[in-house]
Amino acid sequence: MEKLPNDEITQRLDRMNIWGVEDLKLKTRVEFSDFKEACFFANTVFSLAEKQGHHPEVKVEYGAVEIDLWTHEVEGLTDKDFRLAEEIEEALDFTEWD
C-alpha cells in the first residue's frame, strides 16, 4: 500500500462532496436533525469500514458525525482511504434515516 502523492489527492478530492484534508487525514462532519439519525449513519459507516477492513475515527454527537480517515501504516492517505470515503458518501446520498 502506497501513500498517494499530493496531486492525486487533490484530483480525488475534486470529485467528492463532503470531504476535506487536514493533518494528512480525510475529514468530514455530517449534520443530522437528531441523535438517532446520527447514530444510524454512524452504524452505516461502521459496517462499510468493517467490510473493507479499514477503521476510521468516528465521533458521534447530537445531530452530527465526524469522520477521520487515514492509513496508519503509511502515515497518510492511500487508495483505501478514498475508496471508503466514496462508499460513505454514496451511503449518505442513498439512505433515508427515518
Side-chain angles (χ1 to χ4, degrees):
M1 189 171 347
E2 293 184 21
K3 189 173 178 178
L4 294 174
N6 289 337
D7 60 333
E8 187 169 346
I9 290 170
T10 300
Q11 289 173 3
R12 287 180 161 206
L13 276 173
D14 287 344
R15 298 188 302 251
M16 303 181 90
N17 297 310
I18 64 170
W19 297 92
V21 172
E22 183 181 319
D23 301 325
L24 303 174
K25 299 176 184 178
L26 279 173
K27 294 182 172 249
T28 191
R29 177 182 171 88
V30 183
E31 297 193 3
F32 298 92
S33 62
D34 59 31
F35 187 67
K36 179 182 170 185
E37 287 185 358
C39 286
F40 283 147
F41 177 67
N43 282 328
T44 299
V45 171
F46 299 145
S47 290
L48 293 169
E50 187 62 25
K51 285 178 188 174
Q52 288 193 18
H54 199 20
H55 304 101
E57 286 186 6
V58 179
K59 178 182 176 188
V60 182
E61 58 187 60
Y62 185 88
V65 175
E66 293 181 10
I67 305 167
D68 290 0
L69 275 170
W70 77 100
T71 301
H72 302 269
E73 294 86 12
V74 300
E75 296 181 12
L77 296 172
T78 66
D79 182 62
K80 186 175 187 177
D81 301 302
F82 278 93
R83 281 186 282 135
L84 181 54
E86 288 165 357
E87 284 195 31
I88 291 168
E89 198 166 298
E90 286 175 21
L92 187 60
D93 288 342
F94 296 107
T95 306
E96 291 191 30
W97 306 108
D98 290 331

